[in-house]
Amino acid sequence: MVKKKKAVAKAPVRHSSNGRGQPVLPPSPSQRSYTILDYRLEKPSFSIRQIRKGDEVRYEISGDLSAPVAPIRPSKYLDKKQCIEIYRWMLLNRKMETALENLYKQGKVVGGVYFGLGQEACSCASAYSLREDDWLGPMIRNQGSLLVRGFSARDIMMQYMAKAGSPTKGRDASSHFGDIAKRNVVSPISTLGDLIPVLAGVALGARLQGRNIAVMTYIGDGGQSTGVTYEGLNFAAVQNLGLVLFVENNLWGYSTPANMQFRVNDLAERAIAYGIPGVIVDGTDACQVYDAAHQACERARRGEGPTLIEAKMMRMKGHAIHDAAEYVPKPLFEYWRKRDPIARFEKYLLSKKWLTSRENETLIADVERELEADRDYAVASPMPESESAAGGVYCDPTCHAIKPKYGAPKLRLKKSAIATARETAVHLK
Ligand SMILES: Cc1ncc(C[n+]2csc(CCOP(=O)(O)OP(=O)(O)O)c2C)c(N)n1
Ligand SMILES: [Mg+2]
């Protein structure tokens, strides 16, 4: 007997889209789902379109730019004192960059200057989550991270002016300096993405010494497309290394808008493909940045592996001082100026009564005083002697004994971490 098939009404096939013109298939039982934590209290929705007319290229913005600014999301971890400390670092970061801009205009800077204007919360609050034993690999815009990690504004200004007493003794201008002896800071690497495997290697080194540490570095929305970003993060993921990667989505990679650089909606989605947690934060909210960084660092120190944190914000200056950022539509600047990370945090601290107006004025005056003293010292300090130019390039075997910073491996880890470390050691032989 042939059973009659029941007539099934066919549902019309709907082709919705994810807002970027890509079709989204209807859910099916085999469809998997993934979670990306999103800390933001507001989700800007606008898009940037390229307009070409002959040889002329410009960008137009559309979407809702009138949304009110969201409040700061109170931190689960930071207390009053810590919030004020972060606020102070952000102020110093901003004021130091303003001083550097003036020094550049006075012809005192050798080379260019790169600014992190609008990104101070991301730099300062992320680095604030590191412990002494952890490591940092800053990029050019993370001058705030350097301050938090123990470099002074004087060091950074002397570096930009190539002074004899600067961290590289005048041998490199701009940001290529670190401190692997005391502050656990790897120098920025200009080749975008290269810091990621280097920092993964630092975590691996510590692992082989029996410790799980957090290693933090940054990559831009443009730089994250490089092959080495994939290789480094994938390596950290499979080895469960404590890498905390901030993807600084500041909407521009040089003069290319983010939507012409990648097709995903959020760069945090990339984490799914590495098999690691992905988190989105508002990069202009210091509390969100800190909370996500703190959780990622704790995860790293437990030996559970890397985390990718996408910080959404806007680069409020050009790529460097020579770039006037003419390509950025003006309303975009206005939108993000209302979300200035320092003004937002200041308002939050005042409204919580964690700072009175008087205390705030004193704090700002203190930062200015410190900055001015550092700037005057940096300006007055000498340039290097020409004879010293070739010094410090090659190590003369008698100049200093090179001692390994760490001793032999002391594996005192959980069984799973020991197994990973042993496997790694075998592979490295
Ligand atoms: C591998 C590599 N390719 C290209 C460059 C040249 N370059 C320097 S900065 C930059 C744009 C970077 O944009 P993004 O990563 O978004 O960082 P942002 O400047 O916005 O902080 C480019 C293409 C480089 N330094 N390294
Ligand atoms: Mg960028």
Side-chain angles (χ1 to χ4, degrees):
M1 200 175 77
V2 181
K3 272 187 185 170
K4 263 193 183 174
K5 271 187 187 169
K6 271 188 187 168
V8 180
K10 272 194 183 165
V13 180
R14 277 204 202 123
H15 286 287
S16 56
S17 110
N18 64 358
R20 302 187 69 154
Q22 295 148 321
V24 176
L25 296 174
S28 78
S30 60
Q31 192 168 319
R32 304 179 197 179
S33 56
Y34 300 88
T35 307
I36 297 289
L37 257 181
D38 191 343
Y39 275 91
R40 289 173 303 163
L41 295 178
E42 65 171 328
K43 296 172 189 168
S45 64
F46 40 71
S47 60
I48 298 171
R49 201 158 61 96
Q50 191 185 62
I51 313 281
R52 280 176 175 272
K53 246 194 208 155
D55 287 345
E56 199 196 311
V57 175
R58 61 185 181 83
Y59 295 99
E60 239 178 44
I61 182 146
S62 56
D64 182 13
L65 290 155
S66 62
V69 183
I72 290 281
R73 183 183 193 121
S75 168
K76 282 193 225 161
Y77 310 105
L78 291 168
D79 61 22
K80 169 182 159 178
K81 184 172 161 275
Q82 293 170 312
C83 280
I84 295 171
E85 264 175 29
I86 293 176
Y87 170 62
R88 192 182 193 284
W89 288 125
M90 287 162 66
L91 278 170
L92 186 60
N93 184 174
R94 170 85 46 100
K95 288 185 187 298
M96 182 190 70
E97 291 190 5
T98 309
L100 274 171
E101 186 170 2
N102 292 333
L103 291 168
Y104 178 89
K105 288 175 181 164
Q106 292 163 13
K108 294 193 167 100
V109 165
V110 180
V113 184
Y114 300 83
F115 299 109
L117 189 70
Q119 304 191 190
E120 294 91 344
C122 186
S123 293
C124 299
S126 58
Y128 195 82
S129 69
L130 293 172
R131 291 196 195 142
E132 208 182 328
D133 203 29
D134 296 329
W135 279 70
L136 174 80
M139 287 291 282
I140 45 172
R141 303 199 194 288
N142 305 117
Q143 327 227 53
S145 314
L146 288 170
L147 293 171
V148 174
R149 205 63 197 158
F151 282 98
S152 64
R154 177 195 293 192
D155 293 324
I156 299 172
M157 288 188 280
M158 298 233 296
Q159 176 73 14
Y160 267 107
M161 289 189 276
K163 296 289 181 143
S166 71
T168 59
K169 302 184 170 53
R171 291 193 187 85
D172 182 283
S174 80
S175 59
H176 300 105
F177 66 98
D179 177 4
I180 57 171
K182 289 196 194 107
R183 299 180 180 103
N184 293 1
V185 176
V186 178
S187 301
I189 305 176
S190 290
T191 330
L192 300 172
D194 276 12
L195 268 179
I196 299 168
V198 170
L199 268 290
V202 171
L204 178 60
R207 159 85 55 81
L208 292 173
Q209 305 302 321
R211 294 171 306 132
N212 281 318
I213 58 169
V215 295
M216 180 179 287
T217 189
Y218 309 82
I219 187 75
D221 45 272
Q224 58 82 37
S225 299
T226 56
V228 71
T229 298
Y230 175 84
E231 293 161 37
L233 192 46
N234 188 58
F235 181 73
V238 295
Q239 295 292 342
N240 273 340
L241 300 171
L243 179 71
V244 179
L245 179 63
F246 266 87
V247 178
E248 297 185 306
N249 185 352
N250 60 12
L251 301 178
W252 299 89
Y254 224 117
S255 54
T256 306
N259 62 319
M260 290 181 72
Q261 300 179 62
F262 51 83
R263 289 293 285 169
V264 283
N265 281 319
D266 301 302
L267 286 170
E269 290 168 25
R270 294 259 195 262
I272 297 163
Y274 295 102
I276 62 171
V279 184
I280 302 175
V281 293
D282 175 344
T284 66
D285 178 334
C287 289
Q288 287 184 34
V289 171
Y290 179 85
D291 282 13
H294 173 76
Q295 286 174 353
C297 286
E298 289 290 285
R299 190 179 127 75
R301 294 180 200 117
R302 290 193 301 268
E304 292 171 13
T307 305
L308 188 161
I309 303 168
E310 179 186 5
K312 293 189 190 267
M313 54 207 169
M314 160 95 163
R315 189 193 70 202
M316 295 299 278
K317 287 247 183 206
H319 172 68
I321 200 156
H322 58 265
D323 168 17
E326 298 275 343
Y327 45 83
V328 178
K330 301 285 171 286
L332 202 56
F333 274 127
E334 282 156 33
Y335 177 89
W336 287 100
R337 209 166 283 129
K338 288 188 208 142
R339 285 150 181 84
D340 181 294
I342 298 181
R344 284 184 74 191
F345 208 27
E346 176 184 46
K347 193 172 156 202
Y348 172 74
L349 296 173
L350 292 170
S351 70
K352 259 184 107 64
K353 305 213 179 341
W354 279 3
L355 261 186
T356 62
S357 308
R358 188 82 180 254
E359 286 164 344
N360 188 32
E361 279 164 26
T362 312
L363 193 152
I364 294 171
D366 268 3
V367 171
E368 270 164 9
R369 206 169 315 115
E370 176 186 328
L371 198 268
E372 278 165 25
D374 272 9
R375 186 202 53 211
D376 294 349
Y377 181 97
V379 169
S381 73
M383 294 299 279
E385 296 293 335
S386 50
E387 303 82 69
S388 75
V393 177
Y394 299 106
C395 186
D396 162 359
T398 58
C399 74
H400 67 283
I402 301 172
K403 286 188 228 139
K405 181 157 183 202
Y406 302 119
K410 298 179 224 96
L411 291 172
R412 261 182 276 112
L413 296 172
K414 282 193 293 187
K415 274 186 188 155
S416 59
I418 291 172
T420 313
R422 284 211 181 112
E423 274 169 33
T424 309
V426 169
H427 290 308
L428 291 179
K429 269 184 189 163

